[in-house]
Amino acid sequence: MAVRCEQVRLAGYTTLRLGGPARCFVEATTDDELIDAVGRADREGEPVLVLGGGSNLVVADEGFAGTAVHVATRGVTTGPGGPRDAGRGVTTTPGGSRDGRVLVRARAGEEWDPFVARCVEEGLSGVECLSGIPGLLGATPIQNVGAYGQDVSETIVEVRAYDRERGEVVVLDRDACRFGYRSSAFKGAHRHVVLEVTFALEHDDLSAPIRYAELARTLGVDPGERVPLRDAREAVLGLRRGKGMVLDPADPDTRSAGSFFTNPILDPDQVTDLEKRVADRLGAGAVFPRYPEPDGRTKTSAAWLIDKAGFTKGYGRGPVRISTKHALALTNADGGRTEDLLALAREVRDGVRAAFGVTLVNEPVFVGVRL
Ligand code: EPU
């Protein structure tokens, strides 16, 4: 376990390239090192920041007055009780199944997209629409990562985690994870450090049914149809690239934390209020995007509200701007500061509230800052 206390700048570990130094920085390459680093800091009363791929993180310019523990544990395997250090590929062992699905177990420090790519290559269906998402696998249960009609709550069956309160390793089943839209029992609680995630995937060369209208259109199928896994992956990667949502050092629009705000979910009276405000602002025929939720509420599009409130793509000052490809991503070209990014985020939030009466909530995790 490498421990460095020479002020490692966290900017180098975030996709936004923002954030000051951590007091101490630990690189944990095994579960034991990870548990040891977090457990020891907890016993000493030292604040802990568990650092994954940094793709959903906004860190203060002042940095983090505690120990950042970088998760660098690796290993993907399948089957309950199967070998936990089976090396780099997605290996299948007999008995590793549930309801006819193949169980794939992966350590938190695995990079998410190569994991998806391997599943697609090996004919394991269920995560293909989550292609091109940056970050580490261990972060996916925390905010129930989702895109293009799929989210990880559909395939995660178990999360093995270090429980900081009890000081022991625990296993949470799907119910205990309490998944919701971009949320889970883990989000904001900081009680658990994810060590390993088990997915149940179909052994099938076809994708799960395509649910996202834009993706179905791109693939030339009707919603509900299935397509070869590779086609689904390629189509999602193409769509994400077009929105600046696939990391690319040559594309400054990808220096972001993905969607900066969650899509608001509105009660019926908020819907009525929004209808009125949209008509007042944009004319009687104007309609806003509506995605019905199972509980009767309505999800709308934060990107649409931002656009229509007057914050067009590319809006901003200096290096900190709204992406030129997607209104929901805030980006930092070279030389920006977290404070500038937050000033822009506040301006957007306040402008959308003034125009439409809806208060946007940040989606990335904030460290040492608030909106
Ligand atoms: N839109 C605009 N302006 C834009 C972009 C989009 O008005 O600049 C409107 C359009 O009406 C469009 C609608 O917003 O139809 C939805 O846009 P999009 O399909 O890009 O999806 P999103 O709701 O903005 C969500 C997730 C993304 C995920 C995509 C695809 C959240 C907060 N974001 O974005 O996830 O990739 O759907 O499934 O739920 C992330 O969480 O970081 C993320 C990138």
Side-chain angles (χ1 to χ4, degrees), residues 56 143 146-149 181-182 212 214 240 243 245 257-259 261-263 289 291 301 303-304 307 313 325-328 363:
N56 201 41
Q143 55 146 347
Y148 297 99
Y181 165 61
R182 290 293 190 279
Y212 208 76
E214 184 188 28
R240 289 190 70 94
K243 297 177 188 182
M245 295 286 183
S259 301
F261 299 101
T262 51
N263 285 328
Y291 312 101
S301 159
W304 189 91
D307 255 351
K313 297 183 185 75
K325 300 189 180 72
H326 201 291
L328 200 45
E363 195 267 350

Side-chain angles (χ1 to χ4, degrees), residues 33 98 150 187 209 220 244 258 286 291 306 316 323 343 367:
E33 287 181 357
R98 179 174 299 193
Q150 229 168 42
K187 185 144 183 189
Y291 312 101
I306 293 168
S323 159
V367 174

Side-chain angles (χ1 to χ4, degrees), residues 54 65 174:
R174 190 174 174 280

Side-chain angles (χ1 to χ4, degrees), residues 98-286:
R98 179 174 299 193
D99 309 327
R101 292 189 290 174
V102 178
L103 294 182
V104 183
R105 208 181 273 273
R107 283 225 174 74
E110 283 290 325
E111 275 187 65
W112 175 252
D113 190 53
F115 171 80
V116 173
R118 289 202 298 266
C119 291
V120 166
E121 280 307 303
E122 301 191 14
L124 297 171
S125 170
V127 289
E128 56 285 349
C129 294
L130 304 176
S131 292
I133 295 179
L136 301 189
L137 185 141
T140 62
I142 294 175
Q143 55 146 347
N144 184 16
V145 162
Y148 297 99
Q150 229 168 42
D151 65 44
V152 292
S153 78
E154 296 163 48
T155 43
I156 288 178
V157 288
E158 209 172 87
V159 174
R160 202 165 61 87
Y162 173 64
D163 182 338
R164 297 169 65 188
E165 258 172 40
R166 287 162 55 180
E168 62 186 35
V169 174
V170 294
V171 174
L172 291 95
D173 65 13
R174 190 174 174 280
D175 286 346
C177 293
R178 287 191 275 114
F179 290 120
Y181 165 61
R182 290 293 190 279
S183 76
S184 74
F186 308 109
K187 185 144 183 189
H190 305 295
R191 173 172 170 178
H192 295 101
V193 179
V194 175
L195 301 174
E196 192 175 63
V197 185
T198 305
F199 297 84
L201 303 174
E202 301 281 350
H203 221 312
D204 200 322
D205 288 329
L206 291 183
S207 69
I210 301 296
R211 291 198 285 252
Y212 208 76
E214 184 188 28
L215 179 59
R217 269 198 309 278
T218 304
L219 285 160
V221 298
D222 287 328
E225 284 186 50
R226 304 174 68 191
V227 299
L229 284 177
R230 283 180 200 183
D231 293 1
R233 174 169 169 81
E234 287 311 312
V236 167
L237 286 174
L239 284 173
R240 289 190 70 94
R241 276 194 199 101
K243 297 177 188 182
M245 295 286 183
V246 177
L247 293 184
D248 175 357
D251 181 357
D253 277 327
T254 70
R255 279 187 157 209
S256 79
S259 301
F260 199 87
F261 299 101
T262 51
N263 285 328
I265 301 181
L266 308 173
D267 294 328
D269 42 342
Q270 289 177 297
V271 170
T272 310
D273 182 56
L274 184 56
E275 276 165 352
K276 192 175 163 309
R277 288 174 183 258
V278 166
D280 287 350
R281 192 177 172 93
L282 305 171

